[in-house]
Amino acid sequence: RIHIYVSDMKEMVRFYNQILEFPVVRYWRYSDGDGTQIDLGGNLIELFSKGSRNYSNKSFHGNVSLSVKVKDVYKLYEKFKKKNIQLGELIENPWGDASFHVIDPEGNRLAFFSPTIGKEKKQNPRLQVSSVDEYIEIMNNLNLKKPAQIDYNVSKNINLGV
């Protein structure tokens, strides 16, 4: 669960619920502070007004950046393109996912991403093998140097139960 302290609860709920179409799970309204829980695909965001009930005397108000894993980032991007919101570019990242971001009305960044491992499996020639032995042969023929800390790291991982 992520807490975001907001200045304009009504506008933030409108953005997350009506524009991005994420459901409101729960809300509460008090004279000294409001709150709204929103379900971002199984990830809960709690929006808190900056009233005294919600820690207004604390110094942790400010912007956040969230990364949210979604089933199909390409579909979500196409859906959001039809809305009147500014989207970041949909990019394929070298670390194995595709992502884009939106900025909410108060400047919080929401990055949505999906792994692209399926694409990697189809395009990487080292993964176009019919057996483990064939894969081992390909990897051995790359003549890669043994990583300097491999023995140390593997033994530490084994001791930790990893």
Side-chain angles (χ1 to χ4, degrees), residues 50-157:
K50 295 179 181 179
S52 61
R53 176 181 293 268
N54 296 327
Y55 312 107
S56 65
N57 61 335
K58 302 295 183 193
S59 62
F60 48 75
H61 300 129
N63 296 85
V64 298
S65 178
L66 304 174
S67 292
V68 180
K69 182 179 178 182
V70 295
K71 185 174 183 176
D72 189 334
V73 74
Y74 300 98
K75 278 187 184 177
L76 187 62
Y77 185 77
E78 290 303 316
K79 177 181 176 179
F80 283 1
K81 270 184 21 180
K82 297 173 185 169
K83 299 181 177 287
N84 188 23
I85 56 175
Q86 186 175 356
L87 297 177
E89 180 183 0
L90 177 61
I91 57 174
E92 293 196 8
N93 300 301
W95 49 84
D97 69 29
S99 66
F100 72 93
H101 71 271
V102 299
I103 306 295
D104 76 17
E106 295 195 9
N108 300 296
R109 179 181 175 271
L110 297 167
F112 297 96
F113 72 95
S114 293
T116 54
I117 191 68
K119 187 174 181 181
E120 177 72 15
K121 286 180 180 178
K122 290 178 186 174
Q123 294 179 346
N124 185 332
R126 289 186 300 249
L127 300 177
Q128 307 303 312
V129 296
S130 57
S131 70
V132 171
D133 291 334
E134 185 180 352
Y135 177 77
I136 290 170
E137 182 181 347
I138 289 171
M139 295 306 289
N140 284 338
N141 289 333
L142 292 175
N143 296 319
L144 300 172
K145 290 172 48 176
K146 182 178 178 180
Q149 296 290 315
I150 192 74
D151 294 328
Y152 173 80
N153 290 326
V154 168
S155 68
K156 288 291 185 189
N157 287 340

Side-chain angles (χ1 to χ4, degrees), residues 6 8 11 14 38 133 135 149 155:
V6 304
D8 187 340
E11 176 59 20
R14 184 189 75 78
I38 296 179
D133 291 334
Y135 177 77
Q149 296 290 315
S155 68

